[in-house]
Every structure is written in structure tokens, then in C-alpha cells.
Amino acid sequence: MSDRAPLNAPVARVVREIFGSVASLAVVGPLREEGVEAAFDRLHEIDARLSPYRIDSEVSRIRDGVLSPADAHPETRWILAACEALRAESGGLFDARVAGVDGRLDPSGYVKGWAIGEAHRILISAGMENCALGIGGDVAASGEGPGGVGWVIGIANPRDGATALASVRLRDAAIATSGEAERPGHLHDPSGGVARSPFASFTVIGPAIDRVDALATIGWLEGAAGIERVDAEEGYGALAIYHDGRAVATEAFRSIAI
């Protein structure tokens, strides 16, 4: 007997505000309230500790020079170390130290994807194996979705946010997009200025939400070389949309596109 969800299986949905954005949870099967609350409690814990928009967070206090990184929570120190590793990997393009709107510390380019992954694991552990959790267009999905063929995720047209440019089917995979459509001016280059890219948007799919989120940011900043970077990483694929509307997709992306 197949364990796939029946076609058009009922989907329970939960929508809440978090990280200055909206989190959307979709679950096929029983909605286990304790697990849902634990997942959102974890997101709020991360937000309280790592948000650059909360003046009392550890990230803000480090940014403002009132807290030494050495005295921060171990999780904060781990996040800063992960961002430093991404800075080295990207040759300085991904630099959380100057990523904020004021050219100062902002690790959000890694934190959001990592946080989604943290909450998604809690949901799975609570028995909601067939679910999708997204924040601001970045989504981690597990199971076969409501139709037994994967979770269908649309990719917004950066030139017209009301329409989808493409869709993919995710099974135990994640997707993230970087660009200027949703938050103009939020990506900064290592000099602290507003970053520029040949791409209107850069989308990455792959098995780990924290990695796809980081690769989406790096790829957008890197330009054409970012497509090659993602294509060379096993299990990951990219869709790059140029400002003139041209689209370039890697084979791994095309393999799950609808």
C-alpha cells in the first residue's frame, strides 16, 4: 500500500507574523498543536536573540558595541562563525558584518533559512512529516504534499510580484530567493553600499534550507559565476532572472520545475 497522500488531501494552515514578515505553515494530516507551538516558540526565541531590528537582541547589542561576541550566547557565537565561514567561501561577497541597512552587522542572510530549518525539524519530530514551512518566500518542505507528488511552490516574477514565473515540486527539499523585489535596497556589498546584480532575482533549490538561503544571497551578489557555483554543488539547482526578463536555469532546477 502506498503511503502517499490522496489527491487533494486536506491541508491545515497556520499563518503568523515573525521576523518582520509572515510565516506560513501547511500540514497534511493531523495538526499537532503542541508541535506547532514549539516550532513557533523556537522562531520567536531566535528572533529575540538574533534579529538586527530588535534593539535588545544580542546581534543589535554586538552591533552597537555594548556586548562582546565572546560574552554572547553560544548560539549567537555559532551564527557569527557560520557567517564568517560564508564570507570566506564567497570571497567577501557574503559579509554579515556590513550587511545591515546602515552598513553594520546583520546576519539575517543566513539566520532566516537556518531558523526555518530549526522550526521545520521540530514540526517533523512532532509527527507532522508531511508539511511545508515558509517565511518571506523561503520554504522548507517535507513529505509528498497534499497530492502525493510533492509540494508545489511558485516562484514570483520579480517584474510583477502578483504572478508566478515558474513552479517547482519539492519533496524533502527547500527553496530560497534573493533579489530586490520584496525588500529594495536590503542587500549590501562588502563596502557597505547597496549591492548591484545583473539578476532581478536568484532562486536556489536543494536539500538544506540554510544552505539554499545562503547560496541564493551569494549567487545574486556574484552574478553569472553564482549560477556556476550552485550548479557545481551536488543536489542544488538555481534559476536566475535577469533584469530584462531572461531566465537561466541549471539542470538540477529544470528537473523539478513544472
Side-chain angles (χ1 to χ4, degrees):
M1 179 180 295
S2 172
D3 59 359
R4 284 188 174 184
L7 187 63
N8 297 322
V11 179
R13 299 186 184 276
V14 178
V15 178
R16 297 187 186 177
E17 293 185 0
I18 187 70
F19 295 163
S21 184
V22 175
S24 178
L25 169 64
V27 178
V28 176
L31 188 68
R32 305 185 185 279
E33 295 292 344
E34 288 188 5
V36 171
E37 294 307 315
F40 279 97
D41 284 349
R42 179 66 173 129
L43 289 174
H44 283 291
E45 176 188 34
I46 292 169
D47 187 40
R49 181 174 295 134
L50 300 173
S51 172
Y53 303 105
R54 300 176 61 135
I55 61 172
D56 59 342
S57 74
E58 289 198 348
V59 161
S60 292
R61 290 160 61 203
I62 291 170
R63 178 196 64 202
D64 295 338
V66 297
L67 175 67
S68 167
D71 295 328
H73 189 278
E75 190 165 84
T76 302
R77 299 199 303 269
W78 185 88
I79 287 293
L80 294 178
C83 288
E84 178 61 20
L86 288 168
R87 185 182 71 85
E89 176 187 345
S90 67
L93 287 174
F94 187 112
D95 193 344
R97 302 172 304 172
V98 298
V101 294
D102 57 0
R104 296 192 293 166
L105 178 66
D106 183 353
S108 302
Y110 180 75
V111 167
K112 184 174 72 167
W114 170 79
I116 293 172
E118 287 285 293
H120 190 232
R121 282 186 285 274
I122 291 172
L123 294 165
I124 293 172
S125 296
M128 291 170 280
E129 296 90 350
N130 195 354
C131 73
L133 175 64
I135 302 177
D138 299 349
V139 180
S142 57
E144 295 287 344
V149 292
W151 290 91
V152 177
I153 308 296
I155 300 167
N157 184 341
R159 307 174 77 187
D160 174 13
T163 62
L165 190 67
S167 296
V168 296
R169 297 187 190 275
L170 297 183
R171 299 179 180 87
D172 301 322
I175 187 169
T177 298
S178 281
E180 294 295 288
E182 292 186 353
R183 293 169 58 199
H186 82 284
L187 292 172
H188 290 73
D189 63 27
S191 69
V194 175
R196 296 288 180 255
S197 171
F199 304 135
S201 69
F202 193 87
T203 298
V204 178
I205 51 106
I209 181 63
D210 57 340
R211 186 61 177 164
V212 299
D213 199 16
L215 283 173
T217 300
I218 294 171
W220 187 87
L221 292 167
E222 199 169 24
I227 301 173
E228 296 178 4
R229 176 188 294 274
V230 176
D231 195 33
E233 190 150 342
E234 186 175 357
Y236 291 80
L239 172 67
I241 308 299
Y242 286 84
H243 289 287
D244 63 5
R246 288 180 298 130
V248 176
T250 67
E251 181 58 36
F253 184 92
R254 291 194 295 269
S255 69
I256 66 169
I258 299 173

